[in-house]
Amino acid sequence: MVPYSEFNGDVTVVGGDEVFSVEIGYNAVMYGYGIKSNRLVSYAASFGPSTTEDIKQKELTEDIQKGLAQFNAISVRDRNSQNVVRDLSDKKVPLVIDPVLLYGYPEEQQ
């Protein structure tokens, strides 16, 4: 596996459950800090239970605003995350389905 510091790709996709959460701990990499990539996008990302107020209380507003501004495209999986992105950026983000639900589980249903 290539360390983040050595990666230099065309597209980096950030996504998944609670990748933007500040409740479980702030991770700057999830906001694109230190990522060398031509495009940065998210798919079905989530702030989990973290709200804009939680981000303010933890004094992370500026870091998260700058991080969100680095994304070429953002999609989220829930209304709370959509609201947080709206509050902290000028981006309008669509709600998309959790990728786990896209799989369908055909073998497991037999």
Side-chain angles (χ1 to χ4, degrees), residues 62-110:
E62 187 175 326
D63 285 346
I64 291 175
Q65 284 175 323
K66 287 179 181 177
L68 292 173
Q70 295 184 85
F71 281 82
N72 299 99
I74 299 176
S75 67
V76 295
R77 64 174 68 198
D78 59 81
R79 292 249 184 250
N80 176 61
S81 299
Q82 193 177 42
N83 291 337
V84 173
V85 174
R86 182 199 63 222
D87 292 345
L88 300 180
S89 76
D90 61 354
K91 298 179 185 299
K92 291 185 180 184
V93 296
L95 287 175
V96 297
I97 191 167
D98 181 328
V100 172
L101 299 175
L102 292 173
Y103 174 64
Y105 301 94
E107 292 180 19
E108 293 82 351
Q109 293 178 2
Q110 295 180 2

Side-chain angles (χ1 to χ4, degrees), residues 1-9 34 36:
M1 179 169 10
V2 177
Y4 291 123
S5 60
E6 295 176 21
F7 177 77
N8 188 11
K36 299 174 193 164

Side-chain angles (χ1 to χ4, degrees), residues 18-37:
E18 298 195 37
V19 293
F20 292 151
S21 176
V22 298
E23 298 304 311
I24 60 174
Y26 171 72
N27 184 340
V29 173
M30 296 300 166
Y31 291 93
Y33 291 103
I35 303 261
K36 299 174 193 164
S37 185

